[in-house]
Amino acid sequence: MATETPNRPWLITHARLATLGDDPGLIEDGALLVQGAHIAALGTSTELTTRYPAPERWDAAGQLVLPASMCAHTHFYGAFARGMAIPGEPAANFPQILERLWWRLDKALTLEDVRYSALVCLVDAIRHGTTTLIDHHASPNSIEGSLDVIAEAVQEAGLRASLCYEVTDRDGPERARAGIAENVRFAKSANQQISKSPTSNLQLPTSNLQPPISNLQLPTSNLQSPISSSFGLHASLTLSDETLADCVASAGEAGLGFHIHVAEDQADQEDSLSKSGRRVVHRLHDAGILGPRTVAAHCVHVDGPEIALLAETGTWVTHQPRSNMNNGVGVAPVEAMLRAGVNVALGNDGFSNQMFAEMKAAYLVHKLWQRDPRAMPGDLVVRLAYAHNARLARVFWPDLRLGELREGAAADLVFLDYSPTTPLMAGNLPWHLLFGLEASAITATVCAGRVLMRDRRLLTLDEEAITARSRELAAAVWDRVSRGTVV
Ligand SMILES: [Zn+2]
């Protein structure tokens, strides 16, 4: 049974609710009333079953329920890289990784590849309870319409994403112009779009249904689109002053902020200094790129004045420690940025959408880097992953409250089959998240009040069919990459 009545409330009972938010709490034997896309009430099971005696119920049977995860920077287009042989000698540095892996892979993608690469990531996101994703896309031989293809996949999945196309000069002026056009075209269509209403497809007996509860005070954004947009730029090292100026003019007309890689590797700084005599953050600031609606991914190699400028402009920085370690580019000065007042959020740069794993990497790498076990404490990691990511999400969905369980917040939830062997309290939840919880504990995912996975079974996407087709398409992409048939 798929219930196509989005405003009928339903009740989760017998859950351990970890609320997070400003005043984090743990409600034992908790209950949570969902109406439409939002959390309508929160309390103990006894309280809520008394107050709301008849809505459809979902007995969580003691599972831990958390706000769903969010990802501040990702690349759906990178999914086919998993296990791909890279022709030639192993890449010795970051520019070679770009040239030998990513700039070969992205050129080989057709629109169907773009669709399935996104679907693979969306299956992974649902499986890992990550419901809001900020994506950065590249497919230089299939630019026009590529963001529509991804948006359709996101809506099919029932998730929420902000999309952009990365403009770059690396593939010549025609493709740079096409990238600009795709950002502008998509932003206009995304603005006009009214979401298909999020609907509950909770599979429950129909015997205890009742009419909607009419006196609940909830936000009116039930029909808010799950799709948002920004203006994508690759990185300073592949963008001329002229292209940056064109992008600023086009983004300004469309009312968009930017999403760009910044100082991911020292090579970006060297390029900027030789091109402009300025460091990357200053070059981008002078071009008009920074600001509170701009996402600067990585910022591994930024100095004190650059950090001050990021803070002053309210620019968002995203941290992706798994990617930084994999590329051997260094560790971002996250704590220094936070102390300076920079907004820092947590992304995954195309690694799995298992944000618990990204949190663990962040928790560990800063301690090793600083050789100080006090570095990057667990509660700070959790704050980045939830409170900060939720605040970044409001750049794209201003009315949404994510990352916490409270009345009026989005009903974005993840259920975990977690029976800890030590006491679990609101105060020590971060360390349970970092040392106890594994992705295998995730059994259910809800986005905007819609159940996307229950009992580990996906309800919106056909995982088997997606996997089978993706395997065929990925093999063909690998073949094109290895034969060097795409330019
Ligand atoms: Zn990236």
Side-chain angles (χ1 to χ4, degrees), residues 73 75 261 298 349:
H73 171 75
H75 299 284
H261 297 101
H298 299 297
D349 211 17

Side-chain angles (χ1 to χ4, degrees), residues 16 18 20 26 62-67 69 128 354-361 382 386 414-422 424-425 428-443 456:
R16 302 183 95 182
L20 299 179
L26 188 73
Q63 289 186 85
L64 180 64
V65 174
L66 291 174
S69 294
H128 294 122
Q354 188 195 139
M355 293 306 289
F356 294 164
E358 198 73 42
M359 289 161 66
K360 287 173 193 181
V382 169
Y386 290 93
V414 57
F415 287 52
L416 299 122
D417 186 5
Y418 182 58
S419 183
T421 50
T422 55
L424 169 64
M425 298 163 278
N428 72 4
L429 179 72
W431 293 271
H432 276 277
L433 273 168
L434 292 161
F435 291 105
L437 280 167
E438 296 295 340
S440 55
I442 298 172
T443 70
R456 298 190 170 87

